[in-house]
Amino acid sequence: MNLGIMFFVESALLGVGLAMDAFSVSLANGLNEPCMKKPRMLGIAGVFAFFQYLMPMIGWVCVHTVAQHFSSFEKFIPWIALVLLCFIGGKMILDAFKNQDEDRCCEARAITIGALIMQGVATSIDALSVGFTISSYNLVTALICGLIIAVTTFAICLGGIIIGKKAGTRLANKAGYLGGGILIFIGFEIFISSFM
């Protein structure tokens, strides 16, 4: 595989396409936690970038080892994303409803590590199929492609968190409802688009 300019452009564009769901979830996280500190912002963007890197690599390995097993799992991807995002979004809305009269501190609003990992999996699980797209690449080229996807995702998610934080500060108590609604919407969008 030739590592020319088109390889890098195509990998970056693939990263942009894959990162859109993660961007929306990052936006919701920023809305939910408007006083988030920079290290936490970088950590959240890093989690999404990690999963957007990991999933295509798992897909690539599956294509080169157990492709027939992966294709039978592929039909469950939209269901998994729907359940995970609706669960997290519903919990965010429920927490906002329970605490609507309280001025919650940022630490209380912060998403847990477990929920963040579920978000990372839910928004990147469709990237498993990218393993089929890059199946003609050798291992080194696939790793470079995955790294470009991860860097692109990191930048896009960081932007989503920053935008969400600015809007979350202005929306105050309504941010939890909006953030949860966005997550549920993304879950249904992933689910519905899988049938089109």
Side-chain angles (χ1 to χ4, degrees), residues 169-181:
T169 304
R170 292 189 182 97
L171 294 172
N173 293 338
K174 306 297 181 220
Y177 295 114
L178 184 58

Side-chain angles (χ1 to χ4, degrees), residues 138-159:
N138 63 37
L139 178 60
V140 173
T141 307
L143 290 171
I144 293 169
C145 178
L147 186 61
I148 294 168
I149 290 170
V151 169
T152 305
T153 299
F154 181 85
I156 288 171
C157 289
L158 191 58

Side-chain angles (χ1 to χ4, degrees), residues 3 6 11 18 52 59 63 70 75 79-80 83 97 110 131 151 167:
L3 294 180
M6 282 312 295
S11 297
L18 290 173
Q52 290 289 7
V63 167
F70 177 72
K75 63 184 170 208
W79 289 97
I80 294 169
V83 169
F97 181 74
V151 169

Side-chain angles (χ1 to χ4, degrees), residues 48-67:
F48 288 113
F50 170 75
F51 280 105
Q52 290 289 7
Y53 174 80
L54 180 65
M55 293 300 181
M57 294 301 97
I58 291 173
W60 184 89
V61 168
C62 287
V63 167
H64 289 274
T65 56
V66 289

Side-chain angles (χ1 to χ4, degrees), residues 6 27-28 30-31 35 43 83 118-119 122 131 133 145 147 156 170 192:
M6 282 312 295
L27 184 71
L31 281 167
C35 52
V83 169
M118 284 199 296
Q119 287 179 351
T133 307
C145 178
L147 186 61
I156 288 171
R170 292 189 182 97
I192 292 168

